[in-house]
């Protein structure tokens, strides 16, 4: 039977090609994901550079996890000196780090967000800092000197002696580049930048004078890290902890794995979808192959083959197909892994490059690829194998095998209806009062159940659709009528062919509905309350220096300015953050949706509170709230208004004139600006110029904020569409395969049609219209399911976003229908040509 199976595979190479391609695509996705994630996990510069960075760190002293950002610094020079005197300590290094933006020679920011860092050069007893060996020049020693990492200097074209524009908290500083160094820092390897200052300057800019972000301790040769940690712990103040260097390495490796695991999980989900869709193609192919070989298999039974042997021969064919496809898929997966690096950088990395490193092809990736390809293929072929085993020997006397009985279709339709109803009920249950996380999970589960039930019901659903399409198909005359009858002849085959496209377009439509609706809701939340012309903030969302606010007030075109200043406070016994705004100008800059009260009377000790905060703590208009400020002084606030919170305004809002006297520093989260001329290029240009064209500061109009939101959503959708393209491609292969095998199966029939007058053009049109009808059926069904699931998913999101409202993206829906039509037309090109080229006399003689 093995030889028989091998002969059948070799005899049907062309027919099995599409099946092989479907398995190859799915396996390539899986193996590519595993190879890529292993590469990032194992060869990623983070893991390696972190390990190198901690070679000389046996114990690290850090602020505790409960330390408040505004608390008095604990990692002082005095603590460093005390630790240095402990027995078993060889050396101590005080590390300072924080955000530092570096501009290129054109003024643009180098690096991106959190990857643009600053640190201190801390020379040891040798006068050098082993962490940062100098390639050129020397280490910075004064407040106007910096050193840059070699990668950043090369990227920007900076050389020792150049003047470099940098920014830490907004205002621009012009520093002299005195050194270029190499580093194992993972952020630099991933496209970031690292700027070094002398320790005193770094403390002034990035932390506070005389304090450190971390203290690294190296043990003497005879001291173990555990013994050193025990000695260090004895001198540490409260809210300060110590960890070993090995723990730091492990923690950083876990962070890397956390980053990679989310990407890997996402990619594997889409790989699973591709394989799921491919299963329809494989099952369809083997079903048709078994049907076409009815007489052959029946003859095998007649000459003594058992049912088990016949089923085994079909499964062996599937095994061989899966094996060949897995080999090709693993090879293709390596190429996918290579392609994923620039793809995730361009679409998901915010412009941040991933570090170079060799591909990590692990045994797990190889084993999983082969197991996936072979198991999926054999699983998809199991039902056709079971049907093949049931072919009675007497079938050898007949030209065709018996079709599915009405009873089997009734059972299938009943099961499908029950499953679909269960799915609808589950989805609807998610929209009735569940919280967001539970609701999302329930919608996902209900969607899977509903999709499964719908796929089981597709043979039944195809009939009314094709009946509705009959008037349109009749316009094309005999070809259209024959196309409809061909599609109706085997509803199981039509359904299996359309199912792949249904799955793909369900996901595409559902994700599009949710994304477009969410984008509009976020856009409304971010900008609907905004009357200001511009929002000024740090590029990495760090607090802005007080100097920025003062500079903005001096700009000639600026008519109103208000900071959004966040600070901790104890309000009514609750430890929370409050937002300070300028009560004299805030009404000109925002228009929040008040549910009770207004800005009238706001200021002094009168505050306004977001509705969700008021509900949580039972506050309302007129409530008196005892408050303890950051400096420990007490007061009483009165609630003068309740508003709907947004991303811009949230929580408790008070007047800066009341709040500022109790703050040590007047940093701002954002600054709202209104100009006399309104939003425009000149106003933005004036603001940027007043701020020294700082690379660290973003000046955004309402349109810029909306464009950023739209851009983020578009990038996300593009990634999802790219991943779902695999599903659509497999559905195209499925339609091509089904039509091609259908043409082969109906060769005699097509020959008879040609003999009685159907010309080549009519034959091509018949096959194309059949393909078009099947594609449109799958497309309409998928879009309908997608809209329903998109509505349900959006309804769940609306529980946490009061600005959310359902938007049906008719342009995208129309595009999806056009895609279905295009798929139908393209998929029919080769089968239609093959049908038209059949010789009528030869086809009539075909057995």
């Amino acid at each position: 039977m093995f030889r028989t199976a091998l002969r059948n595979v070799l005899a049907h190479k062309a027919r099995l090609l599409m099946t092989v391609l479907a398995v190859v695509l799915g396996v390539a996705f899986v193996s590519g994901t595993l190879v890529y994630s292993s590469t990032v996990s194992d060869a990623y510069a983070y893991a390696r550079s972190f390990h190198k960075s901690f070679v000389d760190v046996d114990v690290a002293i850090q602020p505790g996890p409960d330390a408040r950002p505004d608390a008095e610094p604990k990692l002082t020079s005095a603590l460093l000196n005390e630790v240095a005197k402990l027995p078993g300590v060889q050396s101590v290094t005080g590390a300072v780090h924080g955000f530092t933006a570096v501009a290129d020679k054109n003024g643009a920011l180098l690096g991106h967000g959190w990857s643009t860092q600053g640190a201190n050069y801390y020379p040891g007893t040798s006068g050098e800092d082993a962490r940062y060996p100098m390639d050129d020049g020397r280490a910075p020693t004064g407040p106007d000197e910096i050193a840059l990492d070699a990668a950043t200097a090369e990227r920007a074209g900076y050389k020792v002696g150049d003047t470099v524009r940098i920014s830490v908290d907004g205002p621009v500083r012009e520093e002299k580049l005195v050194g270029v160094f190499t580093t194992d820092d993972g952020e630099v390897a991933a496209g970031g930048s690292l700027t070094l200052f002398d320790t005193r300057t770094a403390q002034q800019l990035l932390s506070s004078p005389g304090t450190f972000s971390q203290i690294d301790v190296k043990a003497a040769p005879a001291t173990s890290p555990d013994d050193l940690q025990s000695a260090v712990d004895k001198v540490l103040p409260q809210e300060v902890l110590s960890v070993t260097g090995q723990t730091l390495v492990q923690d950083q490796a876990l962070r890397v794995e956390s980053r990679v695991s989310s990407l890997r999980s996402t990619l594997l989900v889409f790989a699973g979808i591709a394989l799921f869709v491919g299963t329809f193609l494989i099952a369809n192919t083997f079903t048709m192959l078994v049907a076409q070989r009815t007489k052959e298999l029946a003859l095998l039974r007649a000459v003594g083959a058992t049912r088990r042997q016949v089923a085994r021969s079909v499964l062996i064919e599937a095994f061989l197909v899966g094996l060949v496809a897995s080999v090709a898929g693993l090879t293709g997966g390596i190429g996918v892994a290579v392609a994923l690096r620039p793809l995730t950088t361009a679409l998901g990395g915010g412009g941040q490059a991933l570090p170079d490193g060799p591909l990590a092809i692990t045994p797990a990736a190889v084993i999983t690829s082969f197991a996936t390809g072979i198991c999926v293929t054999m699983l998809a072929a199991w039902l056709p194998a079971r049907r093949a085993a049931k072919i009675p020997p007497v079938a050898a006397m007949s030209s065709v095998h018996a079709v599915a009985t009405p009873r089997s279709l009734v059972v299938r339709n009943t099961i499908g209806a029950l499953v679909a109803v269960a799915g609808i009920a589950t989805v609807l249950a998610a929209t009735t009062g569940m919280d967001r996380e539970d609701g999302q999970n329930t919608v996902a589960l209900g969607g899977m159940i509903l999709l499964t039930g719908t796929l089981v019901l597709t043979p039944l659903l195809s009939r009314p659709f094709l009946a509705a399409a009959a008037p349109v198909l009749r316009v094309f005359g005999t070809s259209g009528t024959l196309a409809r009858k061909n599609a109706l002849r085997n509803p199981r085959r039509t359904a299996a062919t359309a199912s792949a496209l249904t799955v793909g377009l369900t996901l595409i439509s559902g994700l599009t509905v949710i994304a477009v609706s969410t984008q509009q809701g976020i856009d409304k939340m971010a900008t609907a309350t905004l009357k200001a012309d511009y929002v000024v903030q740090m590029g990495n969302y760090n607090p802005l220096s007080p100097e920025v606010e003062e500079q903005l007030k001096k700009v000639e075109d600026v008519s109103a300015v208000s900071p959004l200043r966040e600070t901790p406070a104890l309000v009514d016994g609750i430890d929370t953050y409050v937002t300070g705004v300028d009560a004299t100008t805030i009404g000109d800059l925002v228009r929040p949706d008040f549910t009770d009260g207004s800005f009238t009377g706001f200021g002094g000790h009168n505050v306004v509170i977001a509705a969700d905060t008021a509900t949580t703590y039972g506050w309302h208009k007129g409530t008196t709230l005892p408050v303890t400020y950051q400096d420990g002084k007490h007061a009483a606030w009165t609630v003068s208004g309740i508003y709907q919170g947004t991303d811009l305004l949230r929580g408790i809002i008070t007047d800066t004139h009341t709040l500022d006297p109790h703050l040590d520093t007047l940093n701002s989260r954002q600054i709202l600006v209104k100009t006399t001329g309104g939003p425009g290029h000149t106003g933005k240009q004036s603001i940027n110029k007043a701020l020294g064209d700082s690379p660290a500061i973003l000046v955004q109009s309402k349109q810029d904020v909306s464009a950023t939101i739209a851009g983020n959503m578009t990038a996300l959708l593009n990634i999802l569409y790219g991943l779902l393209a695999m599903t659509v491609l497999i559905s195209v292969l499925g339609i091509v395969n089904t039509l091609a095998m259908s043409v082969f199966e109906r060769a005699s029939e097509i020959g008879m049609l040609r003999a009685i007058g159907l010309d080549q053009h009519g034959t091509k049109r018949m096959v194309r219209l059949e393909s078009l009808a099947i594609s449109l059926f799958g497309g309409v069904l998928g879009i309908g399911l997608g809209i329903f699931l998109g509505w349900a998913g959006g309804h769940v999101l609306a529980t946490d976003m009061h600005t959310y409202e359902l938007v049906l993206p008719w342009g995208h829906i129309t595009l999806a229908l056009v895609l279905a039509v295009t798929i139908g037309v393209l998929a029919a090109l080769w089968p239609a040509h093959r049908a038209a080229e059949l010789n009528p006399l030869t086809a009539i003689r075909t057995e």
Side-chain angles (χ1 to χ4, degrees):
M1 297 306 294
F2 178 81
R3 289 196 298 270
T4 301
L6 181 60
R7 178 182 61 79
N8 284 327
V9 169
L10 295 176
H12 301 116
K13 294 188 293 292
R15 299 184 215 175
L16 291 171
L17 178 61
M18 296 299 179
T19 299
V20 171
L21 285 176
V23 181
V24 166
L25 289 173
V27 172
F29 216 148
V30 171
S31 61
T33 297
L34 294 175
V35 170
Y36 175 72
S37 59
S38 297
T39 299
V40 177
S41 296
D42 300 338
Y44 199 90
Y46 272 105
R48 295 184 176 184
S49 63
F50 285 148
H51 179 71
K52 292 178 183 178
S53 299
F54 297 135
V55 166
D56 294 325
V57 181
D58 292 307
V59 175
I61 302 172
Q62 303 173 330
D66 298 328
R68 291 174 54 139
D70 58 301
E72 182 181 349
K74 302 293 184 181
L75 303 187
T76 61
S77 298
L79 176 61
L80 183 145
N81 294 330
E82 187 176 0
V83 171
K85 296 175 183 178
L86 292 174
V89 173
Q90 178 174 318
S91 64
V92 179
T93 302
V96 182
H97 54 77
F99 172 75
T100 302
V102 181
D104 63 16
K105 292 186 176 181
N106 296 320
L109 176 66
L110 288 169
H112 181 79
W114 298 105
S115 66
T116 56
Q117 294 291 305
N120 66 315
Y121 188 90
Y122 193 91
T125 54
S126 63
E128 297 180 351
D129 190 334
R131 300 172 300 173
Y132 310 116
M134 289 291 160
D135 266 2
D136 190 17
R138 59 174 176 82
T141 57
D144 299 323
E145 296 179 344
I146 63 169
L148 284 178
D149 68 270
T152 299
E154 181 179 1
R155 190 163 70 244
Y158 285 129
K159 297 180 180 179
V160 171
D162 287 347
T163 298
V164 181
R165 299 172 70 251
I166 68 169
S167 180
V168 173
D169 57 357
V172 173
R173 298 171 58 93
E174 293 190 348
E175 313 284 7
K176 182 179 180 182
L177 181 63
V178 297
V180 175
F181 62 93
T182 56
T183 177
D184 293 321
D185 187 281
E187 296 287 356
V188 173
S193 65
L194 182 60
T195 306
L196 294 184
F197 307 90
D198 68 279
T199 297
R200 177 174 293 184
T201 303
Q203 289 175 332
Q204 291 175 342
L205 295 177
L206 306 177
S207 59
S208 59
T211 65
F212 300 95
S213 306
Q214 179 172 300
I215 298 175
D216 299 330
V217 188
K218 182 174 177 60
T223 305
S224 69
D226 291 336
D227 291 340
L228 179 62
Q229 185 179 24
S230 298
V232 168
D233 285 342
K234 295 177 181 178
V235 301
L236 296 183
Q238 291 183 346
E239 297 184 356
V240 173
L241 56 79
S242 67
V243 294
T244 63
Q246 183 61 34
T247 301
L248 291 176
V249 172
Q250 293 172 353
D251 289 346
Q252 298 288 19
L254 287 174
R255 291 193 188 101
V256 172
E257 178 59 26
S258 176
R259 286 185 180 183
V260 176
S261 64
S262 59
L263 174 62
R264 178 170 56 234
S265 298
T266 301
L267 293 176
L268 285 176
V269 165
F270 284 92
I273 294 170
L275 285 169
F276 176 69
V277 172
T279 301
F280 288 98
L281 193 160
I282 300 165
N284 213 17
T285 300
F286 276 95
T287 298
M288 295 178 71
L289 283 175
V290 169
Q292 292 173 11
R293 289 160 46 203
T294 296
K295 294 178 67 175
E296 175 189 330
L297 295 173
L299 284 171
L300 285 175
R301 292 290 314 283
V303 298
T306 65
R307 286 188 174 186
R308 182 175 298 179
Q309 286 176 316
V310 171
R312 189 185 304 156
S313 71
V314 177
L315 290 176
I316 290 173
E317 290 180 42
F319 173 81
L320 295 174
V321 170
L323 181 63
V324 172
S326 297
V327 173
L330 178 60
T331 304
I334 296 173
V336 170
V338 174
L340 280 174
R341 186 190 300 270
L343 178 66
T344 51
T345 295
L347 298 180
Q352 179 173 318
L354 295 176
D356 294 328
L359 288 175
I361 305 174
T362 62
V366 176
I367 293 172
T368 303
S369 299
F370 276 91
T372 301
I374 293 172
C375 290
V376 167
T377 308
M378 294 186 69
L379 180 64
W382 175 78
L383 188 58
R386 186 168 172 270
R387 289 175 182 165
K390 290 183 177 180
I391 296 176
V394 73
M397 304 299 295
S398 177
S399 59
V400 294
H401 182 51
V403 296
T405 63
R407 181 176 177 276
S408 67
L409 288 174
V410 169
V411 172
R412 172 173 178 154
N413 293 338
T414 302
I415 294 174
L418 291 174
V419 174
V421 169
I424 293 173
T426 305
V427 171
L428 292 177
T431 63
T432 56
M434 289 188 179
D435 61 41
R436 179 169 178 171
E437 184 175 355
D438 290 341
Q440 287 176 330
N441 293 334
T442 305
V443 167
L445 175 62
M448 292 173 59
I449 297 173
L450 174 59
L451 185 58
T452 301
T454 303
L455 295 180
V456 175
L457 280 174
T458 44
L460 177 65
L461 298 174
S462 65
R463 290 186 174 278
F465 177 85
L466 292 173
V472 177
L473 292 174
R474 288 196 194 102
V475 174
F476 298 94
T478 302
S479 297
T481 302
L482 290 172
R484 185 179 68 85
K485 290 183 177 180
N486 287 335
L488 284 171
R489 178 184 302 177
N490 192 334
R492 289 175 181 263
R493 181 190 304 166
T494 299
T497 305
S499 293
L501 190 58
T502 298
V503 172
L505 290 185
T506 295
L507 294 171
I508 289 174
S509 302
L511 290 172
T512 302
V513 169
I514 292 175
V516 172
S517 300
T518 302
Q519 175 183 319
Q520 180 162 311
I522 294 175
D523 188 22
K524 185 181 293 185
M525 181 179 288
T527 62
T529 63
L530 190 64
K531 292 169 63 179
D533 296 324
Y534 299 101
V535 178
V536 180
Q537 64 187 20
M538 291 288 289
N540 70 331
Y541 306 104
N542 271 2
L544 286 159
S545 164
E547 184 181 335
V548 175
E549 183 181 345
E550 296 305 316
Q551 290 292 337
L552 289 172
K553 290 179 178 179
K554 297 177 183 178
V555 179
E556 183 177 352
D557 295 336
V558 170
S559 59
V561 173
S562 175
L564 297 180
R565 210 179 325 277
E566 284 190 347
T567 181
L570 188 67
V571 181
D572 200 18
I574 300 164
D575 199 1
T576 186
Y577 274 81
V578 300
T579 300
V581 300
D582 188 335
T584 61
T585 60
I586 192 64
D588 297 325
L589 298 167
V590 295
R591 48 170 176 268
D593 181 13
F594 278 94
T595 58
D596 192 5
S598 66
F599 272 137
T600 302
F602 171 67
H605 289 88
N606 291 336
V607 300
V608 294
I609 300 177
D612 56 347
T613 303
T615 301
T616 300
Y617 300 115
W619 300 333
H620 52 81
K621 183 181 178 182
T623 300
T624 299
L625 305 174
V627 59
T628 302
Y629 294 104
Q630 186 180 358
D631 60 359
K633 295 184 179 180
H634 304 280
W637 288 344
T638 301
V639 179
S640 63
I642 307 292
Y643 68 94
Q644 289 287 356
T646 65
D647 281 353
L648 186 68
L649 297 175
R650 53 184 180 264
I652 304 171
I653 300 179
T654 186
D655 185 7
T656 52
H657 297 89
T658 304
L659 184 66
D660 287 357
H662 304 284
L663 304 181
D664 294 331
T665 57
L666 302 181
N667 295 330
S668 304
R669 168 169 54 91
Q670 292 169 310
I671 299 176
L672 306 181
V673 181
K674 191 171 186 64
T675 57
T676 54
H681 178 68
T682 56
K684 188 174 183 178
Q685 197 173 46
S686 299
I687 293 173
N688 276 319
K689 184 177 180 180
L691 299 177
D693 291 319
S694 172
I697 296 180
L698 288 177
V699 179
Q700 293 183 301
S701 64
K702 288 179 64 172
Q703 290 74 19
D704 293 332
V705 174
S706 297
T708 300
I709 295 170
N712 291 337
M713 285 294 179
T714 301
L716 176 61
L717 276 178
N718 287 339
I719 294 173
L720 296 176
Y721 289 161
L723 296 173
L724 288 171
M726 189 76 73
T727 302
V728 175
L729 178 58
I730 292 175
S731 68
V732 173
L733 294 177
I735 297 173
V736 173
N737 203 29
T738 299
L739 289 174
M741 297 183 74
S742 178
V743 167
F744 178 83
E745 183 183 273
R746 305 198 317 258
S748 179
E749 172 192 323
I750 293 173
M752 182 64 70
L753 291 172
R754 292 289 313 283
I756 61 175
L758 188 66
D759 59 12
Q760 286 187 329
H761 182 71
T763 304
K764 288 182 179 180
R765 182 187 297 169
M766 176 186 68
V767 177
R768 288 171 183 167
L769 289 174
E770 180 182 353
S771 173
L772 186 61
I774 293 173
S775 298
L776 273 177
F777 167 60
V780 170
L781 190 59
I783 291 170
L785 284 173
I787 291 175
F788 173 68
L789 295 177
W791 164 80
H795 191 87
V796 173
L797 290 175
T799 58
D800 289 343
M801 185 189 300
H802 72 276
T803 56
Y804 182 93
E805 62 180 55
L806 179 66
V807 176
L808 291 181
W810 294 110
H812 290 82
I813 292 172
T814 303
L815 187 62
L817 281 174
V818 172
L819 175 64
V821 171
T822 304
I823 288 173
V825 173
L826 294 178
L829 290 179
W830 178 57
H833 175 76
R834 185 179 178 185
E837 292 299 317
L838 283 175
N839 185 292
L841 296 179
T842 303
I844 291 172
R845 292 200 309 268
T846 300
E847 292 292 335

